[in-house]
Amino acid sequence: MTPRLATGMLVNALIRRAEGAGGGAMVLAKGDATAGAVLLLLVERGANPRFIERGLGPDGKPALIPAGPRDFEDDTAVTAYWQRRRNSDSDLWVVELDIADGERFAAETMAAN
């Protein structure tokens, strides 16, 4: 078994890196600090919402995987999606990341951990 950083530490690192790079990040829901799953809401200047989550890729290694619908009618649909996920998994972290090229940015911090 490969050692992994505790989820709380990983989320904190992501937030600090985002703020250091001129972006923003906010915890929308706090999950289990040790082993909770992470759902990222990626936006760029508050627009173009999309979700990715930390999981296992086809090779069995940690990866970031697209999640949720591709298109949302409005902000309430975005919130409703992550709240439904959170209702079914109370250990789930939900983090909004507002930075250009959020997928790449998140992968640099999270995929290898």
Side-chain angles (χ1 to χ4, degrees), residues 11-72:
V11 168
N12 285 335
L14 181 66
I15 291 169
R16 286 186 176 166
R17 283 196 68 235
E19 291 172 350
M26 176 184 356
V27 174
L28 301 176
K30 189 174 182 179
D32 182 87
T34 304
V38 179
L39 179 66
L40 295 174
L41 167 56
L42 304 176
V43 294
E44 293 179 38
R45 297 182 187 222
N48 189 26
R50 62 228 181 263
F51 287 96
I52 59 174
E53 62 185 304
R54 183 173 69 162
L56 294 178
D59 58 0
K61 294 182 180 178
L64 293 174
I65 303 165
R70 297 280 184 223
D71 296 311
F72 293 95

Side-chain angles (χ1 to χ4, degrees), residues 71-92:
D71 296 311
F72 293 95
E73 293 179 21
D74 55 28
D75 289 343
T76 59
V78 172
T79 302
Y81 172 74
W82 71 257
Q83 287 179 340
R84 278 192 310 275
R85 290 285 309 273
R86 175 82 172 143
N87 287 338
S88 67
D89 181 1
S90 62
D91 291 337
L92 179 69

